[in-house]
Amino acid sequence: AQSVSQHNHHVILSEAASLELGCNYSYGGTVNLFWYVQYPGQHLQLLLKYFSGDPLVKGIKGFEAEFIKSKFSFNLRKPSVQWSDTAEYFCAVSGFQKLVFGTGTRLLVSP
Amino acid sequence: DSGVTQTPKHLITATGQRVTLRCSPRSGDLSVYWYQQSLDQGLQFLIQYYNGEERAKGNILERFSAQQFPDLHSELNLSSLELGDSALYFCASSVGQGDYTFGSGTRLTVV
Protein backbone atom coordinates (compact mmCIF):
# COMPACT_ATOMS: atom_id res chain seq x y z
CA ALA A 1 0.00 0.00 0.00
CA GLN A 2 1.06 3.55 -0.61
CA SER A 3 2.14 5.74 2.29
CA VAL A 4 3.68 9.16 2.67
CA SER A 5 5.67 10.58 5.57
CA GLN A 6 6.21 14.24 6.21
CA HIS A 7 8.68 14.71 9.00
CA ASN A 8 8.18 18.37 9.78
CA HIS A 9 4.78 19.04 11.31
CA HIS A 10 5.36 22.70 12.09
CA VAL A 11 7.96 25.02 10.61
CA ILE A 12 8.51 28.65 11.52
CA LEU A 13 10.70 30.81 9.33
CA SER A 14 11.46 34.46 8.86
CA GLU A 15 10.87 36.10 5.52
CA ALA A 16 13.72 35.53 3.04
CA ALA A 17 14.80 32.32 4.77
CA SER A 18 15.19 29.19 2.71
CA LEU A 19 12.70 26.37 3.01
CA GLU A 20 13.01 22.63 2.69
CA LEU A 21 10.17 20.31 3.63
CA GLY A 22 10.84 16.61 3.76
CA CYS A 23 8.67 13.95 2.15
CA ASN A 24 9.29 10.22 1.92
CA TYR A 25 7.00 7.75 0.29
CA SER A 26 6.50 4.04 0.24
CA TYR A 27 5.12 2.29 -2.80
CA GLY A 28 6.28 -0.70 -4.79
CA GLY A 29 5.31 0.45 -8.24
CA THR A 30 5.58 3.48 -10.45
CA VAL A 31 4.42 6.57 -8.63
CA ASN A 32 3.38 10.05 -9.41
CA LEU A 33 4.37 12.59 -6.74
CA PHE A 34 2.73 15.84 -5.81
CA TRP A 35 2.97 18.80 -3.49
CA TYR A 36 -0.20 20.66 -2.63
CA VAL A 37 -0.66 23.84 -0.63
CA GLN A 38 -3.69 24.77 1.44
CA TYR A 39 -4.00 28.40 2.45
CA PRO A 40 -6.15 29.11 5.51
CA GLY A 41 -9.80 28.42 4.72
CA GLN A 42 -9.11 27.42 1.15
CA HIS A 43 -9.00 24.26 -0.92
CA LEU A 44 -5.94 22.30 -1.92
CA GLN A 45 -3.96 23.80 -4.76
CA LEU A 46 -1.32 22.00 -6.77
CA LEU A 47 2.19 23.39 -6.37
CA LEU A 48 4.01 20.90 -8.55
CA LYS A 49 4.04 17.30 -9.68
CA TYR A 50 6.47 14.67 -10.86
CA PHE A 51 5.55 11.90 -13.25
CA SER A 52 8.83 11.09 -14.99
CA GLY A 53 11.87 12.71 -16.58
CA ASP A 54 13.94 15.43 -14.94
CA PRO A 55 13.89 14.71 -11.21
CA LEU A 56 14.09 18.41 -10.41
CA VAL A 57 10.60 19.79 -10.82
CA LYS A 58 9.72 23.46 -10.83
CA GLY A 59 6.31 24.56 -9.70
CA ILE A 60 4.36 27.71 -9.11
CA LYS A 61 5.30 30.56 -6.79
CA GLY A 62 9.01 29.75 -6.92
CA PHE A 63 8.74 26.28 -5.40
CA GLU A 64 10.69 23.29 -6.63
CA ALA A 65 11.07 19.68 -5.59
CA GLU A 66 13.63 16.99 -6.20
CA PHE A 67 12.73 13.36 -6.72
CA ILE A 68 15.45 11.05 -5.38
CA LYS A 69 14.40 7.53 -6.25
CA SER A 70 17.10 5.81 -4.17
CA LYS A 71 15.90 7.63 -1.07
CA PHE A 72 12.16 7.45 -1.88
CA SER A 73 12.09 11.17 -1.27
CA PHE A 74 10.45 14.17 -2.86
CA ASN A 75 11.48 17.20 -0.82
CA LEU A 76 10.00 20.63 -1.42
CA ARG A 77 12.25 23.68 -1.54
CA LYS A 78 12.04 27.42 -1.93
CA PRO A 79 15.12 29.65 -1.77
CA SER A 80 13.41 32.61 -0.14
CA VAL A 81 10.01 32.42 1.55
CA GLN A 82 7.51 35.23 1.84
CA TRP A 83 4.87 35.97 4.44
CA SER A 84 2.26 34.93 1.87
CA ASP A 85 3.70 31.39 1.89
CA THR A 86 2.15 30.82 5.30
CA ALA A 87 -0.01 27.76 4.69
CA GLU A 88 -0.15 24.01 5.12
CA TYR A 89 1.80 21.90 2.66
CA PHE A 90 0.93 18.34 1.73
CA CYS A 91 3.03 15.80 -0.06
CA ALA A 92 1.05 13.13 -1.92
CA VAL A 93 1.69 10.00 -3.92
CA SER A 94 -0.53 8.55 -6.58
CA GLY A 95 -0.21 4.87 -7.19
CA PHE A 96 -3.01 2.53 -8.03
CA GLN A 97 -6.33 4.33 -8.24
CA LYS A 98 -5.90 6.85 -5.46
CA LEU A 99 -3.97 9.82 -4.16
CA VAL A 100 -2.53 9.35 -0.69
CA PHE A 101 -1.48 12.35 1.38
CA GLY A 102 1.05 12.90 4.09
CA THR A 103 0.00 14.46 7.37
CA GLY A 104 0.96 17.93 6.24
CA THR A 105 3.41 20.60 7.38
CA ARG A 106 2.18 23.89 8.74
CA LEU A 107 4.48 26.69 7.67
CA LEU A 108 4.42 30.03 9.42
CA VAL A 109 6.47 32.81 7.89
CA SER A 110 7.00 35.81 10.10
CA PRO A 111 7.49 39.19 8.48
CA ASP B 1 -12.61 28.60 -9.05
CA SER B 2 -11.07 25.18 -9.57
CA GLY B 3 -13.91 23.85 -11.69
CA VAL B 4 -14.95 21.33 -9.04
CA THR B 5 -18.09 22.46 -7.25
CA GLN B 6 -19.08 21.27 -3.83
CA THR B 7 -22.30 22.04 -2.03
CA PRO B 8 -23.13 23.01 0.60
CA LYS B 9 -20.07 24.90 1.85
CA HIS B 10 -21.11 24.58 5.46
CA LEU B 11 -23.43 22.16 7.21
CA ILE B 12 -24.39 21.97 10.86
CA THR B 13 -26.41 19.02 12.00
CA ALA B 14 -27.19 17.00 15.09
CA THR B 15 -25.86 13.62 16.10
CA GLY B 16 -27.80 10.73 14.64
CA GLN B 17 -28.83 12.66 11.56
CA ARG B 18 -28.09 11.96 7.90
CA VAL B 19 -26.63 14.42 5.41
CA THR B 20 -25.77 14.40 1.73
CA LEU B 21 -22.78 16.21 0.28
CA ARG B 22 -22.67 16.94 -3.41
CA CYS B 23 -19.80 17.26 -5.84
CA SER B 24 -19.82 18.28 -9.48
CA PRO B 25 -16.55 17.38 -11.18
CA ARG B 26 -14.58 19.52 -13.60
CA SER B 27 -15.93 19.31 -17.12
CA GLY B 28 -14.57 16.23 -18.86
CA ASP B 29 -13.34 14.50 -15.71
CA LEU B 30 -14.70 11.00 -15.23
CA SER B 31 -13.21 10.23 -11.82
CA VAL B 32 -14.41 11.61 -8.53
CA TYR B 33 -12.62 11.13 -5.24
CA TRP B 34 -13.83 11.90 -1.74
CA TYR B 35 -11.54 12.86 1.12
CA GLN B 36 -12.11 13.64 4.78
CA GLN B 37 -9.86 16.18 6.47
CA SER B 38 -9.87 16.34 10.25
CA LEU B 39 -7.38 17.66 12.77
CA ASP B 40 -6.53 14.27 14.20
CA GLN B 41 -6.67 12.12 11.06
CA GLY B 42 -5.32 14.47 8.41
CA LEU B 43 -6.46 13.95 4.82
CA GLN B 44 -8.01 10.53 4.49
CA PHE B 45 -9.06 9.00 1.19
CA LEU B 46 -12.61 7.72 1.39
CA ILE B 47 -13.71 6.46 -2.00
CA GLN B 48 -13.28 6.85 -5.76
CA TYR B 49 -15.77 6.57 -8.58
CA TYR B 50 -15.00 6.36 -12.27
CA ASN B 51 -17.77 6.94 -14.78
CA GLY B 52 -20.41 5.74 -12.35
CA GLU B 53 -18.58 2.74 -10.95
CA GLU B 54 -16.80 2.40 -7.63
CA ARG B 55 -13.08 1.98 -8.30
CA ALA B 56 -11.29 2.23 -4.97
CA LYS B 57 -12.21 2.34 -1.34
CA GLY B 58 -10.24 3.80 1.50
CA ASN B 59 -11.03 4.45 5.13
CA ILE B 60 -14.73 4.86 4.63
CA LEU B 61 -17.05 3.93 7.46
CA GLU B 62 -20.01 1.65 6.86
CA ARG B 63 -22.27 4.55 7.87
CA PHE B 64 -20.98 6.43 4.84
CA SER B 65 -21.83 5.70 1.23
CA ALA B 66 -21.37 7.39 -2.09
CA GLN B 67 -22.49 7.18 -5.65
CA GLN B 68 -21.78 8.78 -8.99
CA PHE B 69 -24.67 9.59 -11.27
CA PRO B 70 -24.90 9.43 -15.09
CA ASP B 71 -24.18 13.17 -15.32
CA LEU B 72 -20.99 12.39 -13.34
CA HIS B 73 -21.84 14.37 -10.25
CA SER B 74 -21.31 12.49 -7.03
CA GLU B 75 -22.97 12.42 -3.65
CA LEU B 76 -21.51 11.36 -0.33
CA ASN B 77 -24.10 10.23 2.18
CA LEU B 78 -23.22 10.29 5.86
CA SER B 79 -25.67 8.70 8.27
CA SER B 80 -26.02 8.16 12.01
CA LEU B 81 -23.68 11.07 12.43
CA GLU B 82 -21.37 11.27 15.41
CA LEU B 83 -19.42 14.18 16.85
CA GLY B 84 -16.25 12.67 15.44
CA ASP B 85 -17.58 12.96 11.90
CA SER B 86 -17.12 16.71 12.09
CA ALA B 87 -14.56 17.48 9.40
CA LEU B 88 -13.90 19.10 6.08
CA TYR B 89 -14.98 16.85 3.23
CA PHE B 90 -13.21 17.40 -0.06
CA CYS B 91 -14.08 16.16 -3.47
CA ALA B 92 -11.54 15.95 -6.27
CA SER B 93 -11.90 15.02 -9.89
CA SER B 94 -9.52 13.85 -12.56
CA VAL B 95 -9.53 12.74 -16.15
CA GLY B 96 -6.84 10.23 -15.38
CA GLN B 97 -4.21 9.54 -12.79
CA GLY B 98 -2.14 12.55 -12.01
CA ASP B 99 -4.39 15.46 -12.76
CA TYR B 100 -6.43 15.95 -9.61
CA THR B 101 -8.42 19.11 -9.02
CA PHE B 102 -9.97 19.75 -5.65
CA GLY B 103 -13.16 21.51 -4.71
CA SER B 104 -13.47 24.02 -1.87
CA GLY B 105 -14.90 21.42 0.47
CA THR B 106 -17.91 21.08 2.71
CA ARG B 107 -17.34 21.83 6.36
CA LEU B 108 -19.53 19.52 8.41
CA THR B 109 -20.15 20.27 12.05
CA VAL B 110 -22.01 17.68 14.10
CA VAL B 111 -23.40 19.01 17.39
Side-chain angles (χ1 to χ4, degrees), chain A residues 25 30-35 46-59 65-69 73-75 92-94 99, chain B residues 97-98:
Chain A
Y25 69 92
T30 302
V31 294
N32 297 325
L33 297 159
F34 306 80
W35 276 98
L46 180 66
L47 276 178
L48 48 80
K49 59 187 177 185
Y50 173 80
F51 290 169
S52 63
D54 189 344
L56 186 60
V57 181
K58 294 196 183 298
E66 185 175 11
F67 170 56
I68 302 179
K69 189 175 181 179
S73 70
F74 190 56
N75 293 352
V93 58
S94 167
L99 189 62
Chain B
Q97 268 191 300

Side-chain angles (χ1 to χ4, degrees), chain A residues 4-5 21 28 36 38 41 67 72 78 81 86 89-90 93 100 104 106-107:
Chain A
V4 181
S5 296
L21 301 182
Y36 283 87
Q38 187 177 29
F67 170 56
F72 297 92
K78 186 171 184 178
V81 295
T86 293
Y89 293 80
F90 293 91
V93 58
V100 175
R106 288 183 185 269
L107 172 65

Side-chain angles (χ1 to χ4, degrees), chain A residues 38 43 51 94-95 97 99, chain B residues 35 37 48 90 97-98 100 103:
Chain A
Q38 187 177 29
H43 61 87
F51 290 169
S94 167
Q97 304 288 14
L99 189 62
Chain B
Y35 287 84
Q37 186 180 29
Q48 179 208 357
F90 282 110
Q97 268 191 300
Y100 305 88

Side-chain angles (χ1 to χ4, degrees), chain B residues 18-45:
Chain B
R18 172 190 168 95
V19 297
T20 297
L21 313 183
R22 181 187 170 104
C23 169
S24 294
R26 196 176 50 171
S27 178
D29 288 356
L30 299 178
S31 282
V32 170
Y33 308 78
W34 286 98
Y35 287 84
Q36 179 194 58
Q37 186 180 29
S38 60
L39 284 175
D40 55 343
Q41 296 288 328
L43 265 163
Q44 296 285 318
F45 168 72

Side-chain angles (χ1 to χ4, degrees), chain B residues 3 47 71 84 106:
Chain B
I47 198 163
D71 67 352
T106 294

